Amino acid sequence: MPQPGPGNAKLAAVIAEAGMSHAEVARALVRVAQESNANEFVGVGRSHVSHWIAGSKPSGRAPVLLCEALSRKLGRVVTLDEIGLPGQPLSSADMLGWQVDTLSALTELGRVDVDAERRRVLSTAAYSLAALALPSDRWWTHMAERGQTRGAAAGRHVSKGDVEAVIDMVSLFSRVDQRRGGGHARSAVVQYLTSDVATYLRGRYADENLRRDMFTAASELAYLAGWMAFDNGEHNVGQHYFNVAVKLAAEADNPAMAGHVLRAMAHQAVDLGHHKHALDLAAASVDGKRYESASPRERALLGVVYARALAVNGEKQRSARALLRAEDDLSSASQGDDEPGRVFFFAEASLAHETACALRDTGDLAGAARHFRRSVRTRKASAFTRTHAVTLGYMGAVQARQGEIEEACGTWSRALDAMDGVRSGRTRQVAVDMRAILAPYTRRNIRAVRDIDTRAKSYLATFA
């Protein structure tokens, strides 16, 4: 009988560590394949596993499915390199599928992020409109049930302190994002999510509430990784992390968390001009328990993005009603609320910013300018520097549309001051827009115009 090569010996060693027979490995792989809609692998049996150990190479997605099957048994992440089977990884489209196992998609994203070439391919791939079609109600029920089966007897014991540590890290990274933009520290967020947190997700829990809390915390971290990528203009990457965040929220059976992520996906779709899809996502974010189970502050956040989606779809009256409801929700928020930390940033300034965007998109420039000024006046710029710069940029654009070019240049000067040290695709776009709006005026030898154009050009050069 031929001796297995080094790669096959790796696979044999991991199977031995898991204490599984070849038939048990095959059955576990089939279960993962069924959940991942990989029906071509439902016929895998013990002879296939024996052949892989002997030296034959599994095809297609089989190596990824095998990693997940072994990971579930061992309660830790098993990589392709560890089992010596560098097969074809999940494609970008595969990872976005709602039937792909949550932890398989998360693990694969981690592999992509440490491979420079695959990371480059993912970051330049197209944003998927097909992936914005939300799954059925049955899917949400199935995911909640699937979450209850998570955990492995051999996995790491997960404590309440572990959950609190993840929440602390989310808070830390969120504050960096708010000040410095999504271009800072995202790799650290992803590394923590796909290593430490991924191990917790495969661990042992004392009770179901603790497991749900960990999956919610992981969802918040995945959401943050997606938000930072979106903010930095890496839209396909952001979409992948949002997708994983929705799945984690569904397995946590946390409708408010799911609504929070769907709201972010709607925001991204609005910015990218996919207005109908944005409205579908925003409507889903405020539907049923996602809105009802949210705290007042989070309801206001969900509602104001819904208002923006209505605005870009020409639904002016419905948008106005949604804005009023968002104002009422925020007014009813108080310090005594049991609200999640993820909404720490949303207060009067944020509501005013989003309201101004909705009014701008319905053609009410005077109303937009008024609310942008309110946002600038009420925001703590030192803590929320990135959004402060974006707000000033948008306000200047509205002023320019009103014919107030010198006033716009004064506002843009303040925006460029705030952009110092900020790495964000949205601040970058603000600078691009400044130069485009000022282009017709650059030959008129207006000093303010010349200065802003030069400063915007210099800021953009830092991204080259």
Side-chain angles (χ1 to χ4, degrees), residues 32 45 73 121 144 176 246 299 323 346 390 401 410:
V32 176
K73 178 65 176 179
V121 171
V176 172
V246 170
R299 288 181 182 181
L323 288 173
F346 193 78
V390 172
R401 287 176 63 182

Side-chain angles (χ1 to χ4, degrees), residues 384-439:
F384 304 102
T385 312
R386 184 261 319 281
T387 308
H388 183 65
V390 172
T391 302
L392 287 165
Y394 290 175
M395 185 167 78
V398 167
Q399 291 166 340
R401 287 176 63 182
Q402 292 175 305
E404 303 291 342
I405 294 299
E406 290 196 9
E407 185 178 6
C409 286
T411 300
W412 282 333
S413 179
R414 295 166 65 193
L416 289 162
D417 288 343
M419 287 182 198
D420 184 32
V422 173
R423 295 196 63 81
S424 162
R426 286 187 288 169
T427 56
R428 186 164 62 241
Q429 187 59 50
V430 163
V432 169
D433 291 343
M434 286 180 197
R435 301 199 70 204
I437 293 169
L438 291 176

